[in-house]
Amino acid sequence: MRRVLILAVAVFSMGPVAAIDTGQAFDDPVLQARYEKLISEVRCLKCQNQSIKDSNVFLASDLRREIRRLIEEGKSDAEVVDFLVTRYGEFALYRPRTTGKTLILWIAPFLLVLLGGFALFRVVRHRMSMPMDDDTAITAKEGSSE
Amino acid sequence: MSRYILPLIAVVALVLFLVIGLQRGDPRALPSPYIGKPAPQFELPTLADPAVMVASKDLEGDFALVNVWATWCVGCRSEHPFLLQLARDNSIPIYGINWRDTRPEALRWIAQLGDPYIASGFDETGRVGIDWGVYGAPETFLLNADGIVVHKHLGPLGREAWDRDFVPLINAGRAAQ
């Protein structure tokens, strides 16, 4: 039974491996690393919560092909990113660049932490100014009555 | 009383964001970065005749529609009668980009359903589609006489969207000329 299960798992997990043509695009390991990093950071516009590395819709494979071509032409990473943003907008990037428009994305988390910290500080200070809780209040009373 | 003001503001702000988020319509619809900018240059062999080219300069001089379509695209079939009607009414010159398709299938589609296009560029590899920021057919771009993209419609085009989004832009543009 266990053998059958193992075999089934092995067989059914083969499909996804073969589905996406993200194998070796470059012989040069440096170029290959750049290529893989870029395609994992570009959103597949057709299947919006996947990167073009993880998707096999034809738009994703077209974009992979374009990125491969740009790298072959000797374009820098920034130029490849520019190519995509000109055509599809900032949304195509999983790691948006720091520009005026996307600044809010980068600072919002810090602002929210500050805000939360401030709220916590207020609550704690308020609690501390309240009369002590029951147990200690009683012991204090008992103490004073003796 | 004053201790409720801050939470109240926070809740109101949150509700406001949620309402705006719900009213935005299709959350997958992306604004085109080309609005207000020159349409990307292109040159493609026409669907009808691989020896004849259709290019950006053919579109200049008047408002024009660039409709991205394919035979595998269900929405394209549903908007096709409306495109034919626009062509019959001489509303606007319509150009097609036949995106990621095969020539026999696209030619059969045109033969069966009718041809609203002055010409369709045959974009077999999807190169031009990427240049135009296309991510799902059908998409329809409205270009003014100077070749500037003034509007982009996602999904099947119909009378309602045409009257609401396209006609005012075209009328205003033609009046200014």
Side-chain angles (χ1 to χ4, degrees):
Chain A
M1 188 61 202
R2 175 179 276 187
R3 274 194 196 161
V4 175
L5 271 176
I6 291 173
L7 188 71
V9 168
V11 167
F12 286 116
S13 57
M14 268 158 58
V17 176
I20 303 174
D21 59 352
T22 46
Q24 201 75 4
F26 293 95
D27 291 334
D28 181 346
V30 178
L31 292 184
Q32 178 69 20
R34 276 182 56 205
Y35 171 71
E36 281 185 11
K37 184 161 184 298
L38 278 166
I39 62 173
S40 65
E41 286 179 358
V42 176
R43 189 190 302 268
C44 167
L45 284 306
K46 190 67 205 167
C47 33
Q48 292 177 11
N49 285 319
Q50 281 183 307
S51 73
I52 61 169
K53 188 179 180 182
D54 302 329
S55 173
N56 204 33
V57 299
F58 72 76
L59 182 61
S61 69
D62 283 4
L63 286 169
R64 286 198 297 269
R65 185 194 63 210
E66 289 304 302
I67 290 174
R68 194 178 311 161
R69 182 179 61 82
L70 291 170
I71 293 176
E72 275 163 8
E73 285 174 7
K75 297 281 197 295
S76 71
D77 288 1
E79 282 170 318
V80 174
V81 166
D82 269 346
F83 173 92
L84 292 161
V85 170
T86 320
R87 285 159 181 74
Y88 290 98
E90 278 312 318
F91 186 74
L93 305 178
Y94 268 122
R95 208 156 48 96
R97 303 176 300 179
T98 359
T99 63
K101 267 191 204 165
T102 58
L103 201 61
I104 183 77
L105 292 174
W106 289 99
I107 60 172
F110 301 105
L111 278 182
L112 289 174
V113 166
L114 273 179
L115 211 69
F118 178 68
L120 188 70
F121 171 74
R122 291 269 310 241
V123 168
V124 167
R125 205 179 54 174
H126 185 70
R127 290 266 166 86
M128 281 172 73
S129 69
M130 285 199 304
M132 282 185 273
D133 67 18
D134 291 346
D135 283 359
T136 36
I138 288 164
T139 23
K141 243 185 222 164
E142 281 167 352
S144 69
S145 67
E146 277 177 12
Chain B
M1 202 54 215
S2 69
R3 59 190 290 236
Y4 293 116
I5 287 180
L6 222 62
L8 189 71
I9 292 174
V11 168
V12 168
L14 192 66
V15 169
L16 219 63
F17 274 118
L18 291 176
V19 168
I20 293 170
L22 282 174
Q23 290 187 332
R24 259 191 62 208
D26 182 5
R28 288 167 155 261
L30 303 181
S32 171
Y34 285 117
I35 304 291
K37 292 187 190 145
Q41 294 288 313
F42 76 97
E43 188 177 31
L44 282 171
T46 59
L47 181 62
D49 183 354
V52 178
M53 303 299 276
V54 57
S56 306
K57 60 173 172 18
D58 299 329
L59 279 59
E60 283 166 16
D62 189 10
F63 275 91
L65 284 191
V66 176
N67 177 248
V68 181
W69 66 281
T71 54
W72 45 261
C73 144
V74 182
C76 302
R77 190 173 278 270
S78 76
E79 75 171 358
H80 201 75
F82 183 69
L83 294 179
L84 286 170
Q85 199 185 333
L86 286 180
R88 257 200 312 276
D89 297 346
N90 271 326
S91 309
I92 190 165
I94 306 174
Y95 290 85
I97 293 178
N98 181 230
W99 187 48
R100 277 297 221 131
D101 214 337
T102 67
R103 204 182 281 273
E105 279 179 305
L107 286 171
R108 198 178 329 134
W109 161 292
I110 291 289
Q112 280 175 357
L113 300 176
D115 189 358
Y117 308 107
I118 293 177
S120 269
F122 182 57
D123 184 22
E124 191 172 18
T125 60
R127 268 298 297 279
V128 170
I130 286 179
D131 279 346
W132 283 65
V134 170
Y135 66 95
E139 290 186 9
T140 307
F141 295 83
L142 175 63
L143 273 56
N144 72 10
D146 301 321
I148 308 285
V149 179
V150 289
H151 184 66
K152 177 182 180 182
H153 182 83
L154 297 161
L157 181 61
R159 171 66 62 189
E160 194 187 331
W162 174 258
D163 287 342
R164 184 188 61 224
D165 302 331
F166 289 75
V167 172
L169 288 168
I170 297 170
N171 287 344
R174 285 188 175 150
Q177 273 176 5

